[in-house]
Coordinates of all heavy atoms in Angstrom, one line a residue:
M1 N -3.3 15.6 -19.7 CA -2.3 14.9 -19.0 C -2.9 14.3 -17.7 O -3.5 15.0 -16.9 CB -1.1 15.8 -18.7 CG 0.0 15.2 -18.0 SD 1.4 16.3 -17.9 CE 1.9 15.9 -16.2
Q2 N -2.7 13.1 -17.5 CA -3.2 12.4 -16.3 C -2.3 12.7 -15.1 O -1.1 12.5 -15.3 CB -3.4 11.0 -16.6 CG -4.0 10.2 -15.5 CD -4.1 8.7 -15.7 OE1 -3.6 8.2 -16.7 NE2 -4.8 8.0 -14.9
N3 N -2.8 12.9 -13.9 CA -2.0 13.1 -12.8 C -1.5 11.7 -12.3 O -2.3 10.7 -12.4 CB -2.8 13.7 -11.6 CG -3.1 15.2 -11.9 OD1 -2.4 15.8 -12.6 ND2 -4.2 15.7 -11.3
R4 N -0.4 11.7 -11.8 CA 0.2 10.4 -11.4 C -0.5 10.0 -10.0 O -0.7 10.9 -9.1 CB 1.8 10.5 -11.1 CG 2.4 9.2 -10.8 CD 3.9 9.3 -10.8 NE 4.5 10.6 -10.8 CZ 5.7 10.8 -10.5 NH1 6.5 9.8 -10.1 NH2 6.2 12.0 -10.5
L5 N -0.8 8.8 -9.8 CA -1.5 8.4 -8.6 C -0.5 7.9 -7.6 O 0.6 7.2 -7.9 CB -2.4 7.2 -9.0 CG -3.5 7.4 -10.0 CD1 -4.3 6.1 -10.3 CD2 -4.5 8.4 -9.5
N6 N -0.7 8.2 -6.3 CA 0.2 7.7 -5.3 C -0.1 6.3 -5.0 O -1.0 5.7 -5.5 CB 0.1 8.6 -4.1 CG -1.3 8.6 -3.4 OD1 -1.9 7.5 -3.3 ND2 -1.8 9.7 -2.9
L7 N 0.7 5.7 -4.2 CA 0.6 4.2 -4.0 C -0.7 3.9 -3.2 O -1.3 2.8 -3.4 CB 1.8 3.7 -3.2 CG 3.1 3.7 -4.1 CD1 4.3 3.1 -3.2 CD2 3.0 2.8 -5.3
W8 N -1.2 4.8 -2.3 CA -2.4 4.5 -1.7 C -3.6 4.4 -2.6 O -4.4 3.5 -2.6 CB -2.7 5.5 -0.6 CG -4.0 5.2 0.2 CD1 -5.2 5.9 0.0 CD2 -4.2 4.2 1.1 NE1 -6.1 5.3 0.8 CE2 -5.6 4.3 1.5 CE3 -3.4 3.3 1.7 CZ2 -6.2 3.4 2.4 CZ3 -4.0 2.3 2.6 CH2 -5.4 2.5 2.9
Q9 N -3.6 5.3 -3.6 CA -4.6 5.3 -4.7 C -4.5 4.0 -5.5 O -5.5 3.6 -6.0 CB -4.5 6.6 -5.5 CG -4.8 7.8 -4.8 CD -4.4 9.0 -5.5 OE1 -3.4 9.1 -6.1 NE2 -5.3 10.0 -5.6
R10 N -3.3 3.5 -5.7 CA -3.1 2.4 -6.6 C -3.2 1.0 -5.9 O -3.3 0.0 -6.5 CB -1.7 2.5 -7.3 CG -1.7 3.6 -8.2 CD -0.3 3.8 -8.9 NE 0.3 2.5 -9.3 CZ 1.6 2.3 -9.3 NH1 2.5 3.3 -9.0 NH2 2.1 1.1 -9.6
L11 N -3.2 1.1 -4.5 CA -3.3 -0.2 -3.7 C -4.6 -0.9 -4.1 O -5.6 -0.3 -4.0 CB -3.2 0.1 -2.2 CG -3.1 -1.0 -1.3 CD1 -1.8 -1.9 -1.5 CD2 -3.1 -0.6 0.1
K12 N -4.5 -2.2 -4.4 CA -5.7 -2.9 -4.8 C -6.7 -2.9 -3.6 O -6.3 -3.1 -2.4 CB -5.3 -4.3 -5.2 CG -4.5 -4.3 -6.5 CD -4.0 -5.7 -6.9 CE -3.2 -5.7 -8.1 NZ -2.7 -7.0 -8.5
P13 N -8.0 -2.8 -3.9 CA -9.0 -2.7 -2.9 C -9.0 -3.8 -1.9 O -9.2 -3.7 -0.7 CB -10.3 -2.6 -3.6 CG -10.0 -2.1 -5.0 CD -8.6 -2.6 -5.2
E14 N -8.8 -5.0 -2.3 CA -8.8 -6.2 -1.5 C -7.6 -6.1 -0.5 O -7.8 -6.6 0.6 CB -8.8 -7.5 -2.3 CG -7.6 -7.7 -3.1 CD -7.7 -7.2 -4.6 OE1 -8.5 -6.3 -4.9 OE2 -7.0 -7.8 -5.5
Y15 N -6.5 -5.5 -0.8 CA -5.4 -5.4 0.0 C -5.6 -4.3 1.0 O -5.2 -4.4 2.2 CB -4.1 -5.2 -0.7 CG -3.7 -6.3 -1.6 CD1 -3.1 -6.1 -2.8 CD2 -4.0 -7.6 -1.3 CE1 -2.7 -7.2 -3.7 CE2 -3.7 -8.7 -2.1 CZ -3.0 -8.5 -3.3 OH -2.7 -9.6 -4.1
K16 N -6.3 -3.2 0.6 CA -6.7 -2.2 1.6 C -7.6 -2.8 2.7 O -7.4 -2.5 3.9 CB -7.4 -1.0 0.9 CG -6.6 -0.1 0.1 CD -7.4 1.0 -0.4 CE -6.5 1.9 -1.3 NZ -7.3 3.1 -1.9
K17 N -8.5 -3.6 2.2 CA -9.5 -4.2 3.2 C -8.8 -5.1 4.2 O -9.0 -5.0 5.3 CB -10.5 -5.0 2.4 CG -11.6 -5.7 3.2 CD -12.6 -6.5 2.4 CE -13.6 -7.1 3.3 NZ -14.5 -8.0 2.6
T18 N -7.8 -5.9 3.7 CA -7.1 -6.8 4.6 C -6.2 -6.0 5.6 O -6.2 -6.3 6.7 CB -6.2 -7.7 3.8 OG1 -7.0 -8.5 2.9 CG2 -5.4 -8.7 4.7
L19 N -5.6 -4.9 5.1 CA -4.8 -4.1 6.0 C -5.7 -3.4 7.1 O -5.3 -3.4 8.2 CB -4.1 -2.9 5.2 CG -2.9 -3.3 4.5 CD1 -2.4 -2.1 3.6 CD2 -1.8 -3.7 5.4
K20 N -6.8 -3.0 6.7 CA -7.7 -2.3 7.7 C -8.2 -3.4 8.7 O -8.2 -3.0 9.9 CB -8.9 -1.7 7.0 CG -8.5 -0.4 6.2 CD -9.7 0.2 5.5 CE -9.2 1.4 4.7 NZ -10.3 1.9 3.9
E21 N -8.5 -4.6 8.3 CA -9.0 -5.6 9.2 C -7.8 -6.1 10.2 O -8.1 -6.2 11.3 CB -9.5 -6.8 8.4 CG -10.8 -6.6 7.8 CD -11.2 -7.7 6.8 OE1 -10.5 -8.7 6.7 OE2 -12.3 -7.5 6.2
T22 N -6.6 -6.2 9.6 CA -5.5 -6.6 10.4 C -5.1 -5.6 11.4 O -4.6 -6.0 12.5 CB -4.3 -6.9 9.4 OG1 -4.7 -7.9 8.4 CG2 -3.1 -7.5 10.1
N23 N -5.2 -4.4 11.1 CA -4.7 -3.3 12.0 C -5.8 -2.5 12.7 O -5.6 -1.4 13.2 CB -3.9 -2.3 11.1 CG -2.7 -3.0 10.6 OD1 -1.8 -3.4 11.4 ND2 -2.5 -3.1 9.4
K24 N -7.1 -3.1 12.8 CA -8.1 -2.3 13.4 C -7.9 -2.0 14.9 O -8.4 -1.0 15.4 CB -9.5 -3.0 13.2 CG -9.7 -4.3 13.7 CD -11.1 -4.8 13.4 CE -11.1 -6.3 13.2 NZ -12.4 -6.8 12.8
K25 N -7.0 -2.8 15.5 CA -6.7 -2.5 17.0 C -5.5 -1.6 17.0 O -5.1 -1.1 18.1 CB -6.3 -3.8 17.7 CG -7.5 -4.7 17.9 CD -7.0 -5.9 18.7 CE -8.2 -6.9 19.0 NZ -7.8 -8.1 19.7
Y26 N -4.8 -1.3 15.9 CA -3.6 -0.5 15.8 C -3.8 0.7 14.8 O -3.2 0.7 13.8 CB -2.4 -1.4 15.4 CG -2.3 -2.6 16.2 CD1 -2.7 -3.8 15.7 CD2 -1.8 -2.6 17.5 CE1 -2.6 -5.0 16.4 CE2 -1.7 -3.7 18.2 CZ -2.1 -4.9 17.7 OH -1.9 -6.1 18.4
S27 N -4.7 1.6 15.2 CA -4.9 2.7 14.3 C -3.7 3.5 14.0 O -3.6 4.0 12.9 CB -6.0 3.7 14.9 OG -5.5 4.2 16.2
Y28 N -2.8 3.6 14.9 CA -1.5 4.4 14.6 C -0.7 3.8 13.5 O -0.1 4.4 12.7 CB -0.7 4.5 15.9 CG -0.2 3.2 16.4 CD1 1.0 2.7 16.0 CD2 -0.9 2.5 17.3 CE1 1.5 1.5 16.5 CE2 -0.5 1.2 17.8 CZ 0.7 0.8 17.3 OH 1.2 -0.5 17.8
K29 N -0.7 2.4 13.5 CA 0.0 1.6 12.5 C -0.6 1.8 11.1 O 0.0 2.1 10.2 CB 0.1 0.2 12.9 CG 1.0 -0.7 12.0 CD 1.1 -2.1 12.6 CE 1.8 -3.0 11.8 NZ 1.8 -4.4 12.3
M30 N -2.0 1.7 11.1 CA -2.7 1.9 9.9 C -2.4 3.3 9.3 O -2.3 3.5 8.1 CB -4.2 1.6 10.1 CG -5.0 1.6 8.8 SD -4.5 0.3 7.7 CE -4.8 1.0 6.1
A31 N -2.5 4.3 10.2 CA -2.3 5.7 9.8 C -0.8 5.9 9.3 O -0.7 6.6 8.2 CB -2.5 6.6 11.0
S32 N 0.1 5.2 9.8 CA 1.5 5.3 9.4 C 1.6 4.7 7.9 O 2.3 5.2 7.1 CB 2.4 4.6 10.3 OG 3.7 4.5 9.8
I33 N 1.0 3.5 7.8 CA 1.0 2.8 6.4 C 0.4 3.7 5.4 O 1.0 4.0 4.3 CB 0.3 1.5 6.5 CG1 1.1 0.5 7.4 CG2 0.2 0.9 5.1 CD1 0.4 -0.8 7.8
K34 N -0.8 4.2 5.7 CA -1.5 5.1 4.8 C -0.7 6.3 4.4 O -0.7 6.7 3.2 CB -2.9 5.5 5.4 CG -3.9 6.0 4.5 CD -5.2 6.1 5.2 CE -6.3 6.6 4.3 NZ -7.6 6.6 4.9
K35 N -0.1 7.0 5.4 CA 0.6 8.2 5.1 C 1.8 7.9 4.2 O 2.1 8.7 3.3 CB 1.1 8.8 6.5 CG 1.9 10.1 6.2 CD 2.4 10.7 7.5 CE 3.2 12.0 7.3 NZ 3.7 12.3 6.0
E36 N 2.5 6.8 4.5 CA 3.7 6.5 3.7 C 3.2 6.3 2.3 O 3.9 6.7 1.3 CB 4.4 5.3 4.3 CG 5.4 4.7 3.4 CD 6.9 4.7 3.9 OE1 7.0 5.0 5.1 OE2 7.8 4.4 3.2
L37 N 2.2 5.5 2.1 CA 1.7 5.2 0.7 C 1.2 6.5 0.0 O 1.3 6.6 -1.3 CB 0.7 4.1 0.7 CG 1.2 2.8 1.2 CD1 0.1 1.7 1.1 CD2 2.4 2.3 0.4
K38 N 0.6 7.4 0.7 CA 0.0 8.6 0.1 C 1.2 9.5 -0.3 O 1.0 10.3 -1.2 CB -0.9 9.4 1.1 CG -2.3 8.7 1.1 CD -3.2 9.6 2.0 CE -4.6 9.0 1.9 NZ -5.6 9.9 2.5
D39 N 2.3 9.4 0.4 CA 3.5 10.3 0.1 C 4.4 9.7 -0.9 O 5.4 10.3 -1.2 CB 4.3 10.6 1.4 CG 3.5 11.5 2.3 OD1 2.4 12.1 1.9 OD2 3.8 11.5 3.6
T40 N 4.1 8.5 -1.4 CA 5.1 7.8 -2.3 C 4.4 7.4 -3.6 O 3.3 7.0 -3.6 CB 5.6 6.5 -1.5 OG1 6.0 6.9 -0.2 CG2 6.7 5.8 -2.2
Y41 N 5.3 7.4 -4.6 CA 4.7 7.0 -6.0 C 5.3 5.8 -6.5 O 4.8 5.2 -7.5 CB 4.9 8.2 -7.0 CG 4.1 9.5 -6.5 CD1 4.6 10.4 -5.7 CD2 2.9 9.5 -7.0 CE1 3.9 11.5 -5.3 CE2 2.0 10.6 -6.6 CZ 2.6 11.6 -5.7 OH 1.8 12.7 -5.4
W42 N 6.4 5.4 -6.0 CA 7.2 4.2 -6.5 C 7.3 3.1 -5.3 O 7.8 3.5 -4.2 CB 8.6 4.5 -6.9 CG 8.5 5.6 -8.0 CD1 8.8 6.9 -7.8 CD2 8.2 5.5 -9.4 NE1 8.6 7.6 -9.0 CE2 8.3 6.7 -10.0 CE3 7.9 4.4 -10.2 CZ2 8.1 6.9 -11.3 CZ3 7.6 4.6 -11.5 CH2 7.7 5.9 -12.1
F43 N 6.9 1.9 -5.6 CA 6.9 0.9 -4.5 C 8.4 0.6 -4.1 O 8.6 0.2 -2.9 CB 6.2 -0.4 -4.9 CG 6.9 -1.2 -5.9 CD1 7.8 -2.2 -5.6 CD2 6.5 -1.1 -7.2 CE1 8.4 -3.0 -6.5 CE2 7.1 -1.9 -8.2 CZ 8.1 -2.8 -7.9
T44 N 9.3 0.9 -4.9 CA 10.7 0.7 -4.5 C 11.2 1.7 -3.5 O 12.2 1.4 -2.8 CB 11.7 0.8 -5.7 OG1 11.5 2.0 -6.4 CG2 11.4 -0.4 -6.7
E45 N 10.4 2.7 -3.2 CA 10.8 3.8 -2.2 C 10.1 3.5 -0.9 O 10.3 4.3 0.1 CB 10.4 5.1 -2.8 CG 11.3 5.5 -4.0 CD 10.8 6.9 -4.5 OE1 9.8 7.4 -4.1 OE2 11.5 7.3 -5.5
V46 N 9.2 2.5 -0.8 CA 8.5 2.2 0.4 C 9.5 1.6 1.5 O 10.3 0.7 1.2 CB 7.4 1.2 0.3 CG1 6.7 0.8 1.6 CG2 6.3 1.9 -0.7
R47 N 9.5 2.1 2.7 CA 10.4 1.6 3.8 C 10.2 0.1 4.0 O 9.0 -0.3 3.9 CB 10.3 2.4 5.0 CG 10.8 3.8 4.9 CD 10.6 4.6 6.2 NE 9.2 4.8 6.5 CZ 8.7 4.7 7.7 NH1 9.5 4.5 8.7 NH2 7.4 4.8 8.0
Y48 N 11.2 -0.6 4.4 CA 11.1 -2.0 4.6 C 10.0 -2.4 5.6 O 9.3 -3.3 5.3 CB 12.4 -2.5 5.1 CG 12.4 -4.1 5.4 CD1 12.5 -4.9 4.4 CD2 12.2 -4.5 6.6 CE1 12.5 -6.3 4.6 CE2 12.2 -5.9 6.9 CZ 12.3 -6.8 5.9 OH 12.2 -8.1 6.1
G49 N 9.9 -1.7 6.7 CA 8.9 -2.1 7.7 C 7.5 -2.0 7.2 O 6.6 -2.8 7.4
V50 N 7.2 -0.9 6.4 CA 5.9 -0.7 5.8 C 5.6 -1.7 4.7 O 4.5 -2.3 4.7 CB 5.7 0.7 5.3 CG1 4.4 0.9 4.5 CG2 5.8 1.8 6.4
A51 N 6.6 -2.1 3.9 CA 6.4 -3.1 2.9 C 6.1 -4.4 3.6 O 5.2 -5.1 3.1 CB 7.7 -3.2 2.1
F52 N 6.8 -4.7 4.7 CA 6.5 -5.9 5.5 C 5.1 -5.9 6.0 O 4.4 -7.0 5.9 CB 7.5 -6.0 6.6 CG 7.5 -7.2 7.4 CD1 8.1 -8.4 7.0 CD2 6.8 -7.2 8.6 CE1 8.1 -9.5 7.8 CE2 6.8 -8.4 9.4 CZ 7.4 -9.5 9.0
D53 N 4.6 -4.8 6.5 CA 3.2 -4.6 7.0 C 2.2 -4.9 6.0 O 1.1 -5.2 6.3 CB 3.1 -3.3 7.7 CG 3.9 -3.2 9.0 OD1 4.2 -4.3 9.6 OD2 4.1 -2.1 9.4
I54 N 2.5 -4.6 4.7 CA 1.6 -4.8 3.6 C 1.6 -6.2 3.1 O 0.6 -6.8 2.8 CB 1.9 -3.8 2.4 CG1 1.7 -2.3 2.9 CG2 1.1 -4.1 1.2 CD1 2.3 -1.3 2.0
M55 N 2.8 -6.7 3.0 CA 3.1 -8.0 2.3 C 2.6 -9.2 3.2 O 1.9 -10.1 2.7 CB 4.5 -8.2 2.0 CG 5.0 -7.3 0.9 SD 6.7 -7.3 0.6 CE 7.0 -9.0 0.0
I56 N 2.9 -9.2 4.4 CA 2.6 -10.4 5.3 C 1.1 -10.6 5.4 O 0.7 -11.7 5.1 CB 3.2 -10.2 6.7 CG1 4.8 -10.2 6.6 CG2 2.8 -11.3 7.7 CD1 5.4 -11.4 5.9
P57 N 0.3 -9.7 5.8 CA -1.2 -10.0 5.9 C -1.8 -10.4 4.6 O -2.8 -11.1 4.5 CB -1.8 -8.8 6.5 CG -0.9 -7.7 6.3 CD 0.5 -8.3 6.2
N58 N -1.2 -9.9 3.5 CA -1.8 -10.1 2.1 C -1.1 -11.3 1.4 O -1.4 -11.6 0.3 CB -1.7 -8.8 1.3 CG -2.7 -7.9 1.8 OD1 -3.9 -8.0 1.7 ND2 -2.2 -6.7 2.2
E59 N -0.2 -12.0 2.1 CA 0.5 -13.1 1.7 C 1.2 -12.9 0.3 O 1.0 -13.7 -0.7 CB -0.4 -14.3 1.6 CG -1.0 -14.7 2.9 CD -2.0 -15.8 2.9 OE1 -2.3 -16.4 1.8 OE2 -2.5 -16.2 4.0
L60 N 1.9 -11.8 0.2 CA 2.6 -11.4 -1.1 C 4.0 -11.7 -1.0 O 4.7 -11.6 0.1 CB 2.4 -9.9 -1.3 CG 1.0 -9.4 -1.6 CD1 1.0 -7.8 -1.6 CD2 0.5 -9.9 -2.9
D61 N 4.6 -12.2 -2.1 CA 6.0 -12.4 -2.1 C 6.7 -11.2 -2.7 O 8.0 -11.1 -2.5 CB 6.4 -13.6 -3.0 CG 5.9 -14.9 -2.4 OD1 5.9 -15.0 -1.2 OD2 5.4 -15.8 -3.2
F62 N 6.0 -10.3 -3.4 CA 6.6 -9.2 -4.1 C 5.7 -8.0 -3.9 O 4.5 -8.0 -4.2 CB 6.7 -9.5 -5.6 CG 7.1 -8.3 -6.4 CD1 8.4 -7.8 -6.3 CD2 6.3 -7.8 -7.5 CE1 8.9 -6.7 -7.1 CE2 6.8 -6.8 -8.2 CZ 8.0 -6.2 -8.0
L63 N 6.2 -6.9 -3.3 CA 5.4 -5.8 -2.9 C 4.7 -5.1 -4.2 O 3.6 -4.7 -4.1 CB 6.3 -4.6 -2.3 CG 5.6 -3.4 -1.9 CD1 4.5 -3.7 -0.9 CD2 6.6 -2.4 -1.3
G64 N 5.4 -5.1 -5.3 CA 4.8 -4.5 -6.5 C 3.5 -5.1 -6.9 O 2.7 -4.5 -7.6
D65 N 3.2 -6.4 -6.5 CA 2.0 -7.1 -6.9 C 0.7 -6.4 -6.2 O -0.4 -6.7 -6.5 CB 2.0 -8.5 -6.5 CG 3.0 -9.3 -7.5 OD1 3.3 -8.8 -8.6 OD2 3.4 -10.4 -7.1
A66 N 1.0 -5.6 -5.1 CA -0.1 -5.1 -4.3 C -0.8 -3.8 -5.1 O -1.8 -3.4 -4.6 CB 0.4 -4.6 -3.0
F67 N -0.1 -3.4 -6.1 CA -0.6 -2.2 -6.7 C -1.1 -2.3 -8.2 O -0.5 -3.1 -8.9 CB 0.5 -1.1 -6.8 CG 1.1 -0.9 -5.4 CD1 2.3 -1.5 -5.0 CD2 0.5 -0.1 -4.4 CE1 2.7 -1.3 -3.8 CE2 0.9 0.1 -3.2 CZ 2.1 -0.5 -2.8
N68 N -2.2 -1.6 -8.5 CA -2.6 -1.5 -9.9 C -1.7 -0.6 -10.7 O -1.3 0.4 -10.2 CB -4.1 -1.0 -10.0 CG -5.0 -2.0 -9.5 OD1 -5.1 -3.1 -9.8 ND2 -6.0 -1.4 -8.7
P69 N -1.4 -0.9 -12.0 CA -0.6 0.0 -12.8 C -1.4 1.3 -13.0 O -2.6 1.3 -12.9 CB -0.4 -0.7 -14.1 CG -0.9 -2.1 -13.9 CD -1.8 -2.2 -12.7
N70 N -0.8 2.3 -13.2 CA -1.4 3.7 -13.4 C -2.5 3.7 -14.4 O -3.5 4.3 -14.2 CB -0.4 4.7 -13.8 CG 0.4 5.2 -12.6 OD1 0.0 5.3 -11.5 ND2 1.6 5.7 -12.9
N71 N -2.3 2.9 -15.5 CA -3.3 2.9 -16.6 C -4.5 2.0 -16.3 O -5.5 2.0 -17.1 CB -2.7 2.6 -17.9 CG -2.1 1.1 -17.9 OD1 -2.2 0.4 -16.9 ND2 -1.4 0.8 -19.0
N72 N -4.6 1.4 -15.1 CA -5.8 0.5 -14.9 C -6.8 1.3 -14.0 O -7.8 0.7 -13.6 CB -5.4 -0.7 -14.2 CG -4.8 -1.8 -15.1 OD1 -4.8 -1.5 -16.4 ND2 -4.4 -2.9 -14.6
E73 N -6.6 2.5 -13.6 CA -7.4 3.2 -12.7 C -8.6 3.8 -13.5 O -8.5 4.2 -14.6 CB -6.7 4.3 -12.0 CG -5.9 3.7 -10.8 CD -6.6 2.9 -9.8 OE1 -7.6 3.5 -9.3 OE2 -6.2 1.9 -9.4

């Protein structure tokens, strides 16, 4: 049985890179985003502010597009 991956593990590498670059002056913000994604398994449970912080710098219209499906890891 495969363990379920949290959202941080499923976040596409190019989006992690953009988030880190965008928030390099705001380590507390990056830590908050990372903690929320590590504690969450469904993108529908991500708080609005965190979703916004992921979507805007990555130019996403839909938060779910930021993540790889479980079977692609």
Side-chain angles (χ1 to χ4, degrees):
M1 182 174 141
Q2 182 181 8
N3 290 336
R4 187 170 14 161
L5 300 175
N6 63 42
L7 290 180
W8 180 254
Q9 293 167 315
R10 290 176 45 208
L11 186 62
K12 293 177 181 176
E14 61 268 27
Y15 297 146
K16 282 183 183 179
K17 182 179 176 186
T18 302
L19 279 175
K20 288 176 183 176
E21 289 171 2
T22 303
N23 293 298
K24 60 180 146 181
K25 292 183 181 179
Y26 308 102
S27 60
Y28 65 91
K29 188 174 176 183
M30 189 63 211
S32 175
I33 292 168
K34 194 171 183 179
K35 180 179 181 343
E36 173 121 3
L37 295 181
K38 283 186 171 188
D39 293 343
T40 309
Y41 294 90
W42 304 101
F43 72 85
T44 55
E45 296 175 353
V46 174
R47 290 179 298 139
Y48 178 80
V50 172
F52 185 82
D53 290 339
I54 295 167
M55 292 171 62
I56 295 302
N58 288 298
E59 300 177 0
L60 294 171
D61 293 325
F62 175 62
L63 180 61
D65 291 340
F67 306 99
N68 288 317
N70 280 332
N71 59 3
N72 279 359
E73 286 296 315

